[in-house]
């Protein structure tokens, strides 16, 4: 809602749109409206509106975009105030939005009830310029400021009791999203696939939301960001996509690509009962980068956060505030979505760097300061190949497999490119690779027989045991047993207090060994 909010774009997360070079051909108001309707149809919706033309001006009234919910559950719809299409005489069309636009998002669910969320978008009013060819229209906008305010939420029907509806009326729901410096471009290309692409920036944005329950529990949330940059491109079969038909849609060309970059993100939350604090939290992230892509080749997600900090309180659980910070947090995942007769690649990575825990929390477990307080680092980098027996977006088939306990995928290869855990003066690192024989489920008790090795290196392990004993967290006899086990399965490495081990598995014989010593 903070990007640009047209009747169609609001319902589709600000219209999944994309950069485009200015077109030189001509479009009329009817071409622009048909282009918007084509986008909505591809998103699985239907458009109802009345167009009243008077020369070069077309008023679009009674805008109502409706959608059927999956599996016949019900319907959802979005309505907005009227807009105006103005033909400029140079082959372009201005889409004019009012300074105050009413927006309502509703739903109707069989045997449950109806609901409607009413909002109002206010600002100076703004124009969006459309240009290009019929069926290939580019749009641009530049809006100084927009505010979207929650007006009300109404519920009715057999699924809601009078007490539910009264509680909602007494909740004093309130919320506003404000953005400044909204600039961007959009392009919608029609064909067998409707392609929607978009990029833009927002100079800053903030929000606040609050409600109170009948028993006096008050919740408030607020937040803000600096500059936000975003881009997206989506290709959807022209006749629409249903949630239960995603496998075929992906094979027909459905694809999604999103990128975002957010600076100076701050979020606050507080829950109180009268003057008593139940919980509160504050998170700050200096910079967040994220990409998401999905198509017939699979799902790909990659994200990093820099300059992250968290402060939270929950007096009922922890007597002190919890404060921590990390210089960097990252995560990535790649996985197939469609079935294949050949194993397909996957990736899973997660890590953090420079994790620092506040001294007050350290004091609960180590008041004497025995353990080093150095920033902690961790990383796990896995990849490999998995077999997929069914489409992982075929939700009906997945539900059938869940009922039988059957797993929809199988692992064929696993590479451990990096394993790192560095904390409290010790460091564990490792790497390795394994293959799995899917035809041998007997040698390892039902697990596909693995073949490969894992190299591990531990630095500072004995010193850490000494500290844990000194703190009274581990009895001396248990520490002695741990040292004997490390001495049995590991060999001294280069450097002081360094142990190394190589664990090898032979799937053909079932042998497991550490440093050549047979364990199984």
């Amino acid at each position: 809602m903070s990007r640009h909010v047209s009747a169609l774009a609001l319902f589709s997360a600000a219209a999944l749109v994309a950069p485009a070079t200015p077109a030189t051909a001509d479009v009329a108001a009817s071409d622009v409206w048909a282009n918007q309707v084509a986008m909505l149809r591809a998103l699985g919706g239907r458009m109802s509106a009345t167009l009243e033309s008077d020369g070069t001006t077309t008023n679009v009234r009674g805008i109502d975009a409706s959608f059927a919910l999956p599996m016949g559950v019900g319907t959802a719809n979005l309505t907005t105030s009227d807009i105006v299409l103005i033909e400029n005489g140079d082959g372009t069309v201005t889409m004019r939005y009012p300074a105050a636009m009413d927006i309502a998002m509703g739903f109707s669910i069989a045997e449950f009830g109806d609901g409607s969320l009413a909002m109002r978008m206010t600002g100076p009013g703004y124009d969006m310029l459309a240009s290009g060819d019929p069926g290939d229209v580019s749009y641009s906008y530049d809006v100084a400021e927009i505010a979207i305010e929650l007006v009300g939420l109404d519920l009715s029907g057999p699924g809601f009791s009078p007490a539910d509806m009264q509680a909602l009326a007494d909740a004093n729901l309130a919320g506003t999203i404000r953005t400044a410096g909204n600039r961007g471009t959009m392009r919608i290309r029609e064909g067998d696939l409707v392609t929607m692409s978009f990029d833009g920036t927002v100079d800053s944005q903030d929000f606040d939301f609050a409600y109170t329950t009948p028993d006096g529990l008050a919740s408030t949330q607020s937040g803000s960001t600096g500059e936000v940059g975003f881009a997206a491109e989506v290709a959807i079969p022209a006749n629409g996509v249903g949630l239960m038909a995603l496998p075929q849609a992906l094979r027909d060309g459905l694809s999604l690509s999103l990128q975002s970059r957010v600076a100076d993100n701050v979020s606050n939350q507080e829950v109180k009962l009268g003057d008593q604090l139940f919980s509160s939290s504050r998170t700050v992230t200096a910079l967040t980068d994220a990409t998401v892509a999905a198509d017939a080749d699979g799902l790909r997600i990659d994200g990093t956060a820099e300059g992250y900090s968290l402060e939270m309180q929950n007096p009922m659980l922890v007597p002190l505030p919890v404060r921590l910070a990390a210089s960097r947090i990252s995560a990535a995942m790649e996985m197939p979505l469609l079935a294949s007769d050949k194993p397909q690649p996957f990736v899973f990575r997660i890590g953090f760097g420079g994790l620092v825990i506040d001294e007050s929390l350290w004091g609960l477990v180590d008041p004497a300061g025995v353990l080093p307080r150095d920033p902690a680092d961790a990383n796990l980098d896995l990849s490999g190949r998995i077999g997929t027996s069914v489409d992982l977006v075929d939700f009906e088939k997945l539900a059938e497999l869940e009922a039988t306990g059957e797993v929809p995928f199988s692992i064929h290869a696993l590479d451990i490119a990096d394993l790192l855990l560095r904390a409290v003066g010790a460091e564990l690192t490792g790497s390795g690779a394994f293959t799995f024989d899917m035809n041998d489920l007997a040698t390892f008790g039902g697990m596909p027989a693995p073949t490969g090795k894992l190299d591990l290196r531990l630095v500072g392990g004995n010193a850490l045991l000494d500290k844990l004993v000194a703190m009274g967290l581990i009895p001396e006899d248990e520490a002695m047993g741990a040292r004997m086990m490390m001495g049995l399965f590991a060999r001294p490495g280069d450097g002081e207090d360094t142990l190394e081990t190589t664990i090898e598995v032979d799937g053909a014989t079932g042998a497991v060994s550490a440093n050549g010593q047979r364990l199984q």
Side-chain angles (χ1 to χ4, degrees):
M1 292 188 295
S2 61
R3 313 305 191 234
H4 91 272
V5 187
S6 71
L8 306 179
L10 178 66
F11 196 85
S12 60
L16 302 178
V17 276
T21 56
T24 57
D26 294 349
V27 289
S30 58
D31 300 321
V32 172
W33 186 249
N35 191 242
Q36 295 279 298
V37 171
M39 177 181 69
L40 184 70
R41 186 184 304 115
L43 293 169
R46 294 179 178 273
M47 173 61 73
S48 173
T50 300
L51 275 63
E52 300 175 353
S53 296
D54 180 12
T56 59
T57 300
T58 299
N59 292 291
V60 184
R61 306 187 188 281
I63 300 171
D64 189 336
S66 61
F67 296 80
L69 298 177
M71 302 179 68
V73 169
T75 60
N77 76 303
L78 178 144
T79 61
T80 75
S81 300
D82 302 341
I83 65 173
V84 180
L85 306 179
I86 304 169
E87 296 182 356
N88 299 315
D90 59 357
T92 66
V93 174
T94 296
M95 301 181 69
R96 181 153 293 166
Y97 297 84
M101 173 175 275
D102 291 319
I103 303 165
M105 302 178 67
F107 67 85
S108 179
I109 299 178
E111 301 181 2
F112 188 73
D114 302 336
S116 179
L117 175 66
M119 296 169 287
R120 172 163 289 184
M121 184 178 74
T122 58
Y126 72 93
D127 293 345
M128 186 159 60
L129 184 66
S131 61
D133 293 301
D136 184 355
V137 184
S138 297
Y139 306 80
S140 63
Y141 64 93
D142 188 341
V143 188
E145 57 186 26
I146 294 175
I148 301 177
E149 181 181 4
L150 174 63
V151 175
L153 175 62
D154 295 321
L155 302 175
S156 63
F160 303 104
S161 68
D164 293 331
M165 289 181 276
Q166 186 61 49
L168 179 62
D170 295 338
N172 297 319
L173 289 170
T176 304
I177 300 172
R178 293 164 290 268
T179 65
N182 302 267
R183 296 175 297 277
T185 59
M186 173 172 80
R187 184 178 180 183
I188 303 172
R189 289 165 285 176
E190 301 172 42
D192 293 338
L193 292 173
V194 174
T195 302
M196 297 163 280
S197 42
F198 178 79
D199 76 7
T201 59
V202 175
D203 288 345
S204 63
Q205 59 184 356
D206 65 85
F207 75 91
D208 54 71
F209 179 77
Y211 69 88
T212 304
T213 65
D215 56 5
L217 190 69
S219 174
T220 60
Q221 298 180 48
S222 63
S224 64
T225 73
E227 186 176 68
V228 177
F230 49 92
E233 183 155 350
V234 182
I236 305 178
N239 55 0
V241 176
L243 182 64
M244 308 309 290
L246 286 178
Q248 188 58 49
L250 287 168
R251 292 183 171 91
D252 290 341
L254 174 66
S255 65
L256 165 70
S257 176
L258 304 171
Q259 300 88 40
S260 70
R261 185 177 179 87
V262 181
D264 302 321
N265 188 23
V266 179
S267 179
N268 302 286
Q269 181 269 342
E270 184 179 77
V271 179
K272 298 178 73 174
L273 180 60
D275 294 332
Q276 181 181 2
L277 176 67
F278 270 29
S279 66
S280 69
S281 65
R282 176 180 174 84
T283 60
V284 177
T285 309
L287 185 65
T288 303
D289 280 296
T291 61
V292 178
D295 51 33
D297 293 330
L299 173 66
R300 299 171 294 282
I301 301 173
D302 196 345
T304 60
E306 298 178 5
Y308 174 82
S309 65
L310 166 67
E311 179 176 349
M312 61 181 182
Q313 297 184 68
N314 192 323
M316 299 180 67
L317 297 178
V318 182
L320 296 173
V322 175
R323 301 184 184 91
L324 57 86
S327 60
R328 181 180 176 86
I329 301 173
S330 62
M333 180 179 68
E334 297 180 17
M335 61 176 289
L337 295 175
L338 300 177
S340 174
D341 56 2
K342 297 180 180 180
Q344 302 181 77
F346 80 90
V347 171
F348 178 79
R349 294 192 294 268
I350 189 168
F352 60 79
L355 177 66
V356 177
I357 299 175
D358 188 73
E359 185 62 33
S360 62
L361 195 59
W362 272 115
L364 294 178
V365 294
D366 183 21
V370 176
L371 294 174
R373 307 294 207 253
D374 299 334
D377 303 299
N379 194 50
L380 179 62
D381 186 341
L382 306 177
S383 61
R385 303 186 74 81
I386 59 174
T388 49
S389 59
V390 301
D391 298 326
L392 299 183
V393 288
D394 186 340
F395 302 115
E396 290 182 325
K397 184 62 176 179
L398 292 177
E400 294 175 5
L401 294 182
E402 183 179 7
T404 62
E406 184 179 348
V407 178
F409 56 85
S410 55
I411 185 165
H412 291 254
L414 175 65
D415 293 328
I416 307 168
D418 185 24
L419 168 64
L420 166 68
L421 178 58
R422 182 186 298 118
V424 292
E427 178 183 275
L428 175 66
T429 57
S431 63
F434 294 89
T435 58
F436 298 84
D437 184 355
M438 299 304 303
N439 296 316
D440 182 0
L441 301 179
T443 303
F444 286 84
M447 184 181 95
T451 297
K453 69 175 184 175
L454 174 65
D455 294 315
L456 296 172
R457 185 171 187 265
L458 176 63
V459 179
N462 282 301
L464 177 58
L465 279 175
D466 291 338
K467 292 180 175 65
L468 295 176
V469 170
M471 294 168 60
L473 296 178
I474 296 180
E476 180 61 47
D477 57 341
E478 291 185 11
M480 181 63 70
R483 289 190 178 90
M484 292 177 62
M485 291 293 291
M486 289 191 296
L488 182 62
F489 298 117
R491 61 182 182 273
D494 296 335
E496 184 179 355
D497 196 3
T498 300
L499 296 172
E500 297 177 349
T501 186
T502 299
I503 299 174
E504 296 180 275
V505 182
D506 185 345
T509 63
V512 179
S513 61
N515 298 321
Q517 181 174 337
R518 186 74 174 261
L519 303 178
Q520 175 179 311

